[in-house]
Amino acid sequence: MASGRGPQRIVLVGFMGSGKSTVGAALARHLGWGFRDLDRWIEQRHGLTVAEIFRRHGEAFFREEERRAARAAARLRRHVVAAGGGAFAEDATREILQAGSLTVWLRCGEGALWRRLPRDGSRPLAADRGRMRRLLGEREPSYRLADLAVDSSRAAPDEVARRIAEAASLEAAPARRTAKKR
Ligand code: S3P
């Protein structure tokens, strides 16, 4: 995590359907910060949806683009960043996302994730429940590397955002007190 003056970014990680984009937008509003969704950034760069990028270019290409999106986001200040569900499971991308940021895992039970995921082909890696469950098991150890975990299974996005903001200012408080004394 960031040291000194507190994090420049709050990066939300977690499985597909855990609420990263909705909570991220709510948190950015709450803090008066900017918001960057890595998937939307990639889609805009290519003029294609994530599902189309997977179909046309494959997952390895998408992961490279995701790493590029993480690098671009690492230059942002006072931003909430929503990472795609696989970003934190990639070592190089995770390291980029961690530098100077407070990382937050939106933890969500398997049942809630499955209920929330749209069945419209937009999440090619969670097309059926068995695949989703396996992927979740594989990825949980990487999500645990986040600085904080906040449960997003039941609470409304605004409430989850408020809890993260509270935790983030607790993290930043000692640095602010030190700065005031000088
Ligand atoms: C993916 C998650 C998606 C998107 C892509 C791959 C994954 O993002 O990046 O479909 O590997 O878990 P969301 O987590 O925002 O759905």
Side-chain angles (χ1 to χ4, degrees):
M1 210 258 294
S3 58
R5 289 172 296 115
Q8 294 292 344
R9 290 166 299 284
I10 297 179
V11 176
L12 303 185
V13 305
F15 205 73
M16 294 169 259
S18 59
K20 301 178 297 288
S21 302
T22 38
V23 170
L27 180 59
R29 272 196 308 276
H30 186 89
L31 297 173
W33 285 16
F35 176 57
R36 168 75 56 94
D37 186 307
L38 299 191
D39 284 345
R40 298 297 85 75
W41 189 88
I42 296 168
E43 288 182 336
Q44 278 161 16
R45 228 173 96 76
H46 289 276
L48 295 170
T49 65
V50 167
E52 284 166 344
I53 295 174
F54 266 73
R55 268 200 305 276
R56 287 200 200 174
H57 303 292
E59 183 175 350
F61 175 86
F62 176 78
R63 296 299 168 206
E64 274 172 36
E65 288 303 295
E66 192 169 54
R67 198 155 48 246
R68 192 192 296 267
R71 267 194 230 105
R75 292 194 283 272
L76 301 172
R77 300 285 174 267
R78 294 168 64 80
H79 266 72
V80 178
V81 176
F88 224 56
E90 299 281 314
D91 292 346
T93 308
R94 183 176 62 249
E95 280 166 26
I96 296 165
L97 292 173
Q98 283 173 319
S101 304
L102 178 79
T103 54
V104 182
W105 172 25
L106 295 190
R107 199 177 44 211
C108 194
E110 188 203 311
L113 289 171
W114 183 245
R115 276 194 302 279
R116 285 182 194 176
L117 278 171
R119 314 272 185 271
D120 59 0
S122 62
R123 305 301 201 287
L125 297 181
D128 68 78
R129 190 157 181 172
R131 191 170 185 197
M132 187 205 97
R133 188 181 299 126
R134 268 197 310 282
L135 202 55
L136 184 60
E138 282 165 26
R139 286 183 177 170
E140 270 201 7
S142 62
Y143 297 149
R144 286 183 198 284
L145 299 172
D147 299 309
L148 293 176
V150 175
D151 193 279
S152 68
S153 301
R154 279 172 291 274
D158 281 339
E159 173 59 20
V160 180
R162 202 191 51 73
R163 285 186 207 156
I164 297 169
E166 221 173 78
S169 66
L170 282 177
E171 297 268 334
R176 277 209 294 274
R177 278 205 298 274
T178 313
K180 267 188 197 158
K181 275 190 212 150
R182 288 200 184 122

